[in-house]
Amino acid sequence: MSFDWLVIRSQAISFRIDRRVPLILLCLAVAIALAMVMNLERGEYPISPLDIVKTVLGIDTGNPDHAFVIHNLRLPRSLVAFMVGVALAISGTIFQGLTRNPLADPGIIGINAGANLAAVTMIILFPSVPIYTLPLSAFAGALLMAVLIYLLAWNKGSSPILLILMGIGLSAIASAFTNLMITFGNIYDVSAALVWLAGSVYGRTSEQVFSLLPWLIIFVPLALTQARHLNALNLGDDVAKGLGSQVEWQRGLLVLVGVALAGASVATAGNISFVGLIAPHIGRQLIGPNHEGLIPTAALLGGGIVVMADFLGRILFAPIELPCGVVTAAVGAPYFLYLLIRNRKK
């Protein structure tokens, strides 16, 4: 199917998606809604699914505590988990397409490390700054890391292999500086930074929801409009040029989108790893490699993965809560090794 939905300079932006995509997106949306209800239901104060639905829809349940628990405590946390998963999945999809490497991920190629360093620096050196400045600092750190990777990998053009290798090397350097900041920081600020680095949506409120929302509103549609260029770049620079793409300009814009989404998500919930690796792979199994359908599919998968990771982290060792970043790492690390083994001869 082809959908022409926007005209720019007299040229329509065309989306060609597999006929399975709308049905798969609908199924994923229903599954995510059920996962959200499960996440809202569990806790020290259990609430029935029916009362959850009524409270979210603004229908009186006869118990005023329900509205407080859901709207102030649990719903913002679940929304942040979903939004972070969406951002990480789209970022991972973009970087896998740009590098033409199924093992690429904003955490693996160093983007998250840059965001981590900038955010930890803000937490330890400037603990009194407003919460909305944290995404900005993380974005700046991620963008600086991306620019360094891009420049160091430049050799009469940007090589996908060099992008990954430079990213891995710079990630190690950024992680070393992050550990240095933690070593010499104030104990209370360091404790906050360590909890944040584990990757958690615990204690997230509507403030974090509205802090992350503008980044999604701006960069998710931008990612969708660039999907066809990502398809072309995924075929190689020569093919992309033959199809009329301005290779370096389109690659730079896509890097900016991927960096912005990764940086904002890291600033909001810390280092939740492997979501950007897993979600695009599952999406390709469901609908194929076409990014016009893959980006929204991976986005919903990523959101669902983080919501379920948060849910599992709350129930596996209750009353102790595991950060959702620990859960995604426990699942993602073996999956990454599986992909390494499967792709070792490619």
Side-chain angles (χ1 to χ4, degrees), residues 101-324:
N101 191 315
L103 303 178
D105 170 86
I108 294 171
I109 65 174
I111 303 302
N112 284 4
N116 284 339
L117 176 57
V120 168
T121 300
M122 291 294 291
I123 291 172
I124 292 179
L125 297 185
F126 308 99
S128 60
V129 296
I131 187 67
Y132 62 81
T133 63
L134 200 57
L136 293 174
S137 63
F139 169 67
L143 182 60
L144 178 60
M145 178 65 77
V147 170
L148 287 173
I149 293 170
Y150 207 71
L151 290 176
L152 291 174
W154 184 270
N155 183 19
K156 298 180 181 180
S158 50
S159 165
I161 298 298
L162 282 177
L163 285 173
I164 293 176
L165 294 176
M166 291 299 176
I168 293 173
L170 289 175
S171 176
I173 295 173
S175 297
F177 277 104
T178 301
N179 291 331
L180 187 66
M181 294 291 299
I182 290 173
T183 301
F184 293 103
N186 179 280
I187 185 63
Y188 299 105
D189 298 330
V190 167
S191 298
L194 288 174
V195 171
W196 178 84
L197 279 173
S200 175
V201 293
Y202 174 79
R204 298 305 185 267
T205 66
S206 56
E207 191 174 5
Q208 281 82 27
V209 173
F210 291 112
S211 157
L212 180 57
L213 187 60
W215 296 81
L216 296 184
I217 291 175
I218 294 171
F219 289 103
V220 171
L222 189 55
L224 291 171
T225 62
Q226 296 300 307
R228 67 189 182 94
H229 295 293
L230 188 56
N231 286 334
L233 289 170
N234 196 39
L235 296 174
D237 289 1
D238 292 337
V239 175
K241 289 176 183 177
L243 294 174
S245 290
Q246 297 176 307
V247 171
E248 297 305 333
W249 163 253
Q250 298 297 340
R251 182 176 287 134
L253 181 58
L254 283 162
V255 166
L256 177 65
V257 173
V259 164
L261 291 173
S265 64
V266 168
T268 304
N271 192 28
I272 300 178
S273 55
F274 293 108
V275 177
L277 176 73
I278 298 172
H281 273 278
I282 299 175
R284 288 189 192 91
Q285 297 297 319
L286 292 175
I287 57 98
N290 186 358
H291 288 91
E292 288 145 322
L294 179 59
I295 287 176
T297 302
L300 290 185
L301 284 166
I305 287 170
V306 179
V307 169
M308 284 305 300
D310 183 42
F311 173 72
L312 292 173
R314 294 171 63 192
I315 68 169
L316 287 177
F317 300 100
I320 299 173
E321 286 195 18
L322 291 178
C324 56

